[in-house]
Amino acid sequence: MSKLRRQMSANTSSVVETKSLIEIKNFTGNLYESIAIVAKRANQINIALKEELHNKLEEFASHTDSLEEIHENKEQIEISKAYERMPNPAILATQEFMDNKIYYRKNDSDLFS
């Protein structure tokens, strides 16, 4: 099992829960900035999961063009179902943000006074 999947399956629920906007805002002082951080992390998680899934499914890929040779592979189906059951990347990113596990920095030179 990959490091990312172990990390995600630790204690993250796949059910969407409401979060306090005030609590989210308190991390950075700006709600929109906090949401942007979560969105960027969710995108990173999504890309990593997609690459991992494609690499695992590539092992089962048949490189022939014949339609008669297409068959169901139970291992491939189980891998796909396991990834479908995993929590949404936005849920994972929000949980990481709320647990203060995301490193972010503010570039003050881009801000206007």
Side-chain angles (χ1 to χ4, degrees), residues 4 7-8 36-52 88-90 92-94 96-97 101-105:
L4 185 59
Q7 177 185 1
M8 290 185 295
I37 291 167
V38 170
K40 287 180 183 181
R41 178 63 183 141
N43 192 28
Q44 290 173 342
I45 292 171
N46 189 35
I47 290 169
L49 283 175
K50 201 177 288 187
E51 286 177 359
E52 186 178 307
N88 184 307
L92 296 170
T94 304
E96 284 182 6
F97 186 76
K101 293 181 180 177
I102 298 178
Y103 171 76
Y104 58 91
R105 64 180 179 204

Side-chain angles (χ1 to χ4, degrees), residues 1-106:
M1 187 183 294
S2 74
K3 179 182 174 186
L4 185 59
R5 285 186 62 202
R6 270 185 301 219
Q7 177 185 1
M8 290 185 295
S9 62
N11 59 2
T12 305
S13 171
S14 61
V15 178
V16 176
E17 299 173 358
T18 57
K19 304 287 183 193
S20 168
L21 294 180
I22 295 169
E23 188 177 334
I24 293 172
K25 177 188 165 207
N26 288 339
F27 283 96
T28 62
N30 185 334
L31 177 63
Y32 299 105
E33 188 175 335
S34 297
I35 291 172
I37 291 167
V38 170
K40 287 180 183 181
R41 178 63 183 141
N43 192 28
Q44 290 173 342
I45 292 171
N46 189 35
I47 290 169
L49 283 175
K50 201 177 288 187
E51 286 177 359
E52 186 178 307
L53 176 62
H54 286 296
N55 289 338
K56 286 186 178 188
L57 293 179
E58 186 67 30
E59 297 171 9
F60 302 104
S62 174
H63 299 290
T64 59
D65 293 334
S66 174
L67 290 176
E68 290 121 14
E69 294 183 17
I70 295 176
H71 62 280
E72 291 183 2
N73 188 334
K74 291 184 181 186
E75 293 175 10
Q76 183 179 5
I77 293 170
E78 289 300 318
I79 290 172
S80 296
K81 285 183 179 180
Y83 275 86
E84 287 175 4
R85 285 190 297 264
M86 291 173 70
N88 184 307
I91 295 172
L92 296 170
T94 304
Q95 186 63 42
E96 284 182 6
F97 186 76
M98 299 301 278
D99 293 341
N100 208 16
K101 293 181 180 177
I102 298 178
Y103 171 76
Y104 58 91
R105 64 180 179 204
K106 189 182 238 182

